């Protein structure tokens, strides 16, 4: 199989397997760039509620830069995950079955052999910033496993170095990590969050067993099926995550139900006698005559600007946190960037974002933001 190992070498078949691996590489290089484009199209299709006309309107007005930015912000954690998993599985195959590690017939072996150390270090640093706290023990496990396997492969005769990097360092790291996350583990046990307990405790304990080879007969088959399972699950997982990412700003617009031309005398500023409707949706486009919105039901609404009484930008509804665990002030579902970078101070909720008209104080003008 081209993704995993090259299979048993057979006389007269090496050339065919090499050509097959190169063809598989060409397919991968073709499909991988097309996958983000497919995600962007599916996001617009999902946002339009599977209506082709609405999707065409979104394609006409939605900024490509906004789509790409939303894709990068939402799925930036995937890049270090791919690099680390490929490096770990490829090096494990290299150490466990060196006779099956053939870069000419295996994409995994070729990627592992050509993956420099600085790329792995950059992936670890990026993951440290973009992964949630509860996944950092898994990051520690992957980083130490790659370090131990590479040390074992490159310094086969140096027993002292292998002993230090494959046994002593993982044990010390497991003890230090356990001491640091111990308050979080205790809090997770009290809250009966067993998934969080497993994510915080199991990876450091398993690191020692991942720095050495596995039996040669099972190594190629096991690694092959792990890659196949990852290739089947990853597209659905990434698609489900990105389909919930916002790509248009959410606004609440106060609309005068009766057109201005039909009102005999315009009311004074601050008056609330006009019949007002609050429309919550996503802004598609604004020109000198109309404001185009996508409402909560997925319908496109064209509102004349002379009927817009006020509008405000509404914050995106954050995902309800699953875990209540914190350690040293760090929430289990926060990344290092979210924890370290100060956020905007909370403000009083705007009633328009809840579908209620804005109650003005006397002599207070209503801001209109376009």
């Amino acid at each position: 199989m081209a993704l995993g190992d090259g299979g048993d070498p057979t006389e007269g078949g090496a050339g065919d397997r090499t050509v097959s691996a190169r063809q598989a590489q060409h397919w991968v290089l073709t499909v991988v760039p097309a996958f983000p484009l497919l995600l962007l199209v599916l996001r617009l299709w999902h946002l339009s509620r599977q209506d082709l006309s609405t999707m065409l309107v979104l394609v006409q007005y939605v900024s490509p830069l906004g789509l790409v930015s939303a894709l990068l912000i939402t799925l930036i954690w995937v890049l270090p995950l791919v690099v680390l998993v490929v490096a770990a599985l490829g090096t494990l195959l290299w150490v466990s079955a060196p006779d099956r590690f053939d870069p000419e017939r295996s994409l995994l072996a070729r990627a592992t052999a050509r993956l420099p150390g600085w790329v792995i270090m950059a992936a670890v640093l990026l993951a440290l910033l973009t992964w949630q706290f509860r996944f950092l023990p898994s990051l520690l496990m992957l980083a130490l496993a790659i370090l131990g396997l590479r040390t074992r492969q490159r310094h086969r005769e140096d027993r002292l170095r292998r002993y230090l990097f494959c046994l002593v360092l993982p044990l010390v790291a497991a003890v230090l990590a356990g001491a640091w996350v111990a308050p979080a583990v205790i809090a997770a046990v009290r809250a009966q969050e067993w998934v969080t307990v497993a994510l915080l405790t199991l990876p450091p304990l398993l690191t020692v067993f991942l720095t050495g080879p596995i039996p040669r007969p099972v190594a190629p088959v096991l690694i092959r099926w792990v890659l196949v399972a990852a290739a089947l699950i990853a597209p659905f997982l990434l698609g489900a995550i990105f389909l919930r990412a916002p790509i248009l700003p959410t606004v609440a617009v106060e609309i005068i139900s009766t057109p201005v031309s039909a009102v005999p005398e315009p009311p004074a500023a601050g008056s609330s006698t006009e019949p007002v409707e609050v429309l919550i949706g996503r802004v598609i486009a604004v020109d000198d005559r109309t404001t185009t919105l996508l409402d909560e039901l997925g319908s496109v609404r064209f509102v004349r600007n002379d009927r817009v009484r006020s509008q405000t930008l509404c914050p995106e509804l954050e995902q309800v946190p699953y875990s209540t665990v914190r350690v040293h002030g760090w929430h289990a579902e926060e990344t290092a960037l979210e924890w370290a970078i100060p956020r905007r101070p909370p403000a009083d909720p705007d009633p328009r974002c809840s579908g209620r008209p804005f109650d003005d104080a006397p002599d207070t003008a209503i801001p209109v933001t376009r």
Side-chain angles (χ1 to χ4, degrees):
M1 183 176 180
L3 285 176
D5 68 296
D8 291 328
T10 57
E11 185 178 358
D16 295 337
R17 292 181 181 272
T18 302
V19 173
S20 178
R22 292 177 179 175
Q23 291 177 349
Q25 183 182 12
H26 294 161
W27 276 105
V28 170
L29 294 177
T30 303
V31 172
V32 169
F35 183 68
L37 180 61
L38 178 62
L39 282 180
L40 297 178
V41 174
L42 288 178
R43 182 65 185 97
L44 294 177
W45 178 250
H46 180 266
L47 188 62
S48 64
R49 304 294 178 93
Q50 295 80 48
D51 182 74
L52 183 59
S53 299
T54 304
M55 192 187 76
L56 293 177
V57 172
L58 294 176
V59 171
Q60 181 179 0
Y61 289 105
V62 172
S63 169
L65 181 59
L67 285 172
V68 175
S69 301
L71 179 66
L72 291 178
I73 294 298
T74 306
L75 302 180
I76 192 174
W77 56 271
V78 176
L79 179 60
L81 178 63
V82 172
V83 173
L84 295 177
V85 169
V86 168
L89 292 179
T91 311
L92 181 62
L93 176 64
W94 200 348
V95 172
S96 304
D99 57 321
R100 305 288 290 271
F101 188 86
D102 189 356
E104 294 296 329
R105 295 186 291 135
S106 170
L107 291 180
L108 178 64
R110 183 176 304 178
T112 304
R114 296 181 179 181
L115 195 61
W118 67 267
V119 173
I120 298 177
M121 289 296 300
V124 171
L125 293 178
L126 182 59
L128 186 62
L129 295 176
T130 58
W131 286 15
Q132 297 180 4
F133 167 77
R134 55 182 175 175
F135 297 121
L136 292 186
S138 301
L139 173 62
L140 178 65
M141 177 188 69
L142 286 174
L144 292 179
I146 294 173
L147 178 61
L149 291 172
R150 288 203 163 198
T151 301
R152 187 180 295 273
Q153 193 276 329
R154 295 179 179 179
H155 306 279
R156 300 178 181 177
E157 305 299 330
D158 194 342
R159 293 185 176 181
L160 178 60
R161 183 172 297 186
R162 288 190 301 168
Y163 177 77
L164 290 177
F165 286 94
C166 299
L167 182 60
V168 176
L169 182 59
L171 288 177
V172 173
V175 172
L176 294 179
W180 192 56
V181 302
V185 174
I186 296 174
V189 171
R190 292 175 178 175
Q192 296 184 352
E193 298 179 10
W194 305 117
V195 175
T196 304
V197 173
L199 290 174
L200 295 178
T201 57
L202 291 182
L205 298 178
L206 295 176
T207 304
V208 179
F209 303 97
L210 297 179
T211 57
I214 58 179
R216 182 201 172 282
V218 302
V221 177
L222 178 62
I223 293 173
R224 178 191 307 159
W225 283 108
V226 169
L227 288 174
V228 170
L232 292 177
I233 296 175
F236 297 98
L237 177 62
L238 298 180
I241 294 175
F242 182 66
L243 287 181
R244 295 179 296 178
I247 59 175
L248 291 172
T250 302
V251 297
V253 182
E254 280 187 316
I255 302 174
I256 301 174
S257 299
T258 304
V260 175
S261 58
V263 178
E265 294 183 1
S271 175
S272 58
T273 59
E274 302 168 328
V276 175
E277 174 190 2
V278 179
L279 178 62
I280 301 177
R282 300 184 181 274
V283 176
I284 299 177
V286 178
D287 54 29
D288 56 348
R289 297 189 60 183
T290 61
T291 298
T292 307
L293 297 169
L294 183 69
D295 63 16
E296 295 177 309
L297 300 178
S299 301
V300 178
R301 303 281 294 270
F302 300 93
V303 182
R304 293 207 326 249
N305 290 337
D306 57 2
R307 295 182 58 193
V308 176
R309 183 169 180 257
S310 70
Q311 59 180 329
T312 183
L313 185 66
C314 296
E316 293 291 337
L317 296 178
E318 296 183 359
Q319 183 181 1
V320 178
Y322 165 79
S323 176
T324 60
V325 175
R326 289 180 178 270
V327 55
H328 307 294
W330 190 343
H331 189 262
E333 298 183 15
E334 282 185 338
T335 65
L337 288 176
E338 295 172 342
W339 181 50
I341 298 177
R343 295 184 177 182
R344 178 187 300 178
D348 295 334
D350 195 304
R352 289 170 289 184
C353 294
S354 301
R356 302 191 305 271
F358 188 84
D359 296 330
D360 298 323
D363 300 331
T364 301
I366 305 174
V368 178
T369 305
R370 292 194 180 99

